[in-house]
């Protein structure tokens, strides 16, 4: 145990506290397990959170997306994470930021979501899911925490979208970060589950490079027309520094 800012906080061996300065959020992380990346920051900034209501963060990891979203809304935020160690870190980060009245971390398999949550009850579902299909030829990280976070070992794209669609109220929003190479599969999966794609943004490492991140929003039972492609977003500029947009997301104005 360590003392931090005059309060007793639990940090376990190998853990550290990082900060997203733009949102004044502290988060417990460890190099031994999956840590949040730029993708979580992009997702939290892309998502259009309701002012009030209910948000569910699927595949929550150590809770970064929900923590970042908490500064943008008064809605309650429930986070669902399969891995006990990550869920525990997320719960302690909630306490670290004094957000117990708004956020709750649930150590839960995605497939058991409806043992605890009602269908048609949620205004926004956000998800930073595993990106890579689980195939016999897949090369997985030997660290099981990272392998589960990156590969569809316990939850596939279809699982994520099916659960999200069932959770959402009519006209509720689903927002996800994923990889551009699965774009068509994602759109097909959303439509098959009554989620109409509405906003899409591709993120590029820097000008002149191919997109490496996809941000997508859909509306449950939304009209089929009205799809918007937002301007490209760049992570770095030509000099290798964060782009102005990323600089603002990470450090504020």
């Amino acid at each position: 145990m360590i003392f931090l800012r005059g309060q007793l906080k639990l940090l376990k061996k190998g853990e550290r506290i990082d900060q997203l300065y733009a949102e004044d959020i502290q988060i417990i992380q460890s190099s031994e397990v999956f840590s949040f990346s730029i993708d979580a920051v992009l997702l939290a900034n892309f998502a259009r959170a309701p002012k009030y209501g209910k948000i569910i963060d699927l595949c929550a990891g150590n809770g970064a997306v929900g923590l970042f979203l908490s500064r943008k809304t008064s809605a309650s935020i429930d986070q669902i994470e399969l891995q006990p160690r990550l869920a525990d870190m997320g719960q302690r980060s909630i306490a670290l930021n004094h957000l117990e009245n708004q956020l709750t971390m649930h150590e839960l398999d995605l497939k058991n979501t409806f043992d605890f949550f009602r269908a048609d009850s949620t205004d926004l579902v956000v998800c930073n899911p595993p990106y890579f299909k689980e195939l016999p030829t897949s090369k997985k990280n030997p660290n099981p925490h990272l392998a589960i976070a990156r590969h569809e070992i316990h939850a596939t794209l279809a699982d994520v979208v099916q659960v999200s669609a069932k959770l959402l109220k009519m006209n509720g929003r689903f927002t996800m970060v994923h990889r551009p190479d699965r774009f068509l599969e994602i759109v097909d999966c959303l439509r098959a589950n009554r989620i109409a794609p509405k906003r899409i943004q591709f993120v590029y490492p820097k000008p002149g490079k191919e997109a490496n991140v996809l941000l997508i929003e859909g509306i449950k039972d939304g009209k089929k027309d009205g799809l918007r492609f937002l301007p490209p977003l760049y992570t770095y500029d030509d000099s290798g520094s964060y782009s102005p947009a990323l600089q603002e997301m990470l450090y504020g104005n």
Side-chain angles (χ1 to χ4, degrees):
M1 291 187 294
I2 66 167
F3 282 96
L4 180 71
R5 294 185 177 178
Q7 298 187 30
L8 190 63
K9 300 295 179 187
L10 286 172
L11 266 189
K12 297 182 178 179
K13 184 179 178 181
E15 293 180 347
R16 66 184 188 274
I17 294 174
D18 290 340
Q19 183 158 355
L20 184 72
Y21 291 94
E23 306 297 348
D24 191 26
I25 286 288
Q26 294 181 312
I27 183 165
I28 295 170
Q29 306 230 89
S30 171
S31 59
E32 299 172 4
V33 297
F34 185 78
S35 297
F36 86 86
S37 66
I38 291 293
D39 292 4
V41 179
L42 292 167
L43 177 59
N45 277 271
F46 180 77
R48 295 190 287 182
K51 192 170 184 180
Y52 305 102
K54 184 178 185 64
I55 298 171
I56 292 184
D57 176 14
L58 299 179
C59 306
N62 63 353
V65 175
L67 287 165
F68 302 157
L69 276 175
S70 70
R71 297 303 195 218
K72 305 175 187 298
T73 178
S74 296
S76 67
I77 303 173
D78 287 282
Q79 301 181 285
I80 294 176
E81 171 51 42
L82 171 71
Q83 297 193 58
R85 185 170 177 184
L86 288 172
D88 174 62
M89 291 168 67
Q91 189 59 51
R92 285 182 285 125
S93 289
I94 290 170
L96 179 64
N97 290 280
H98 309 293
L99 290 168
E100 297 95 331
N101 292 332
Q102 185 181 12
L103 276 76
T104 306
M105 175 65 77
H106 305 266
E107 182 191 322
L108 181 65
D109 191 320
L110 183 82
K111 298 181 180 70
N112 298 327
T113 295
F114 298 100
D115 292 345
F116 297 89
F117 295 94
R118 291 186 297 108
D120 307 311
S121 65
T122 307
D123 299 284
L124 170 67
V125 175
V126 294
C127 188
N128 182 0
Y131 291 162
F132 303 106
K133 292 184 178 183
E134 171 64 0
L135 301 171
T137 55
S138 298
K139 292 183 178 180
K140 292 185 287 293
N141 194 297
N143 182 323
H145 298 288
L146 297 178
I148 290 170
R150 293 173 178 169
H151 292 263
E152 295 180 338
I153 296 171
H154 293 286
T156 65
L157 172 64
D159 294 331
V160 166
V161 175
Q162 287 166 10
V163 168
S164 299
K166 191 173 178 180
L167 281 170
L168 286 170
K169 299 175 180 177
M170 182 179 291
N171 294 322
R173 289 191 174 98
F174 171 70
T175 309
M176 181 172 66
V177 59
H178 217 290
R179 289 177 60 87
D181 61 324
R182 298 188 70 180
F183 173 58
L184 294 179
E185 180 186 359
I186 290 166
V187 169
D188 287 344
C189 194
L190 292 178
R191 286 177 166 173
N193 287 278
R194 298 166 48 201
I195 297 176
K198 289 295 181 180
R199 284 195 310 143
I200 290 164
Q201 187 169 39
F202 291 100
V203 184
Y204 301 77
K206 60 189 295 187
K209 297 292 185 180
E210 293 185 2
N212 62 348
V213 174
L214 165 69
L215 296 163
I216 187 165
E217 174 193 83
I219 294 180
K220 182 177 177 180
D221 295 323
K223 295 179 180 179
K224 293 182 180 179
D225 57 0
L227 175 61
R228 297 165 53 208
F229 285 84
L230 303 189
L233 181 63
Y234 299 101
T235 307
Y236 300 98
D237 61 23
D238 287 325
S239 70
S241 301
Y242 282 123
S243 68
L246 262 292
Q247 189 79 16
E248 184 175 345
M249 289 182 198
L250 294 168
Y251 301 107
N253 293 319

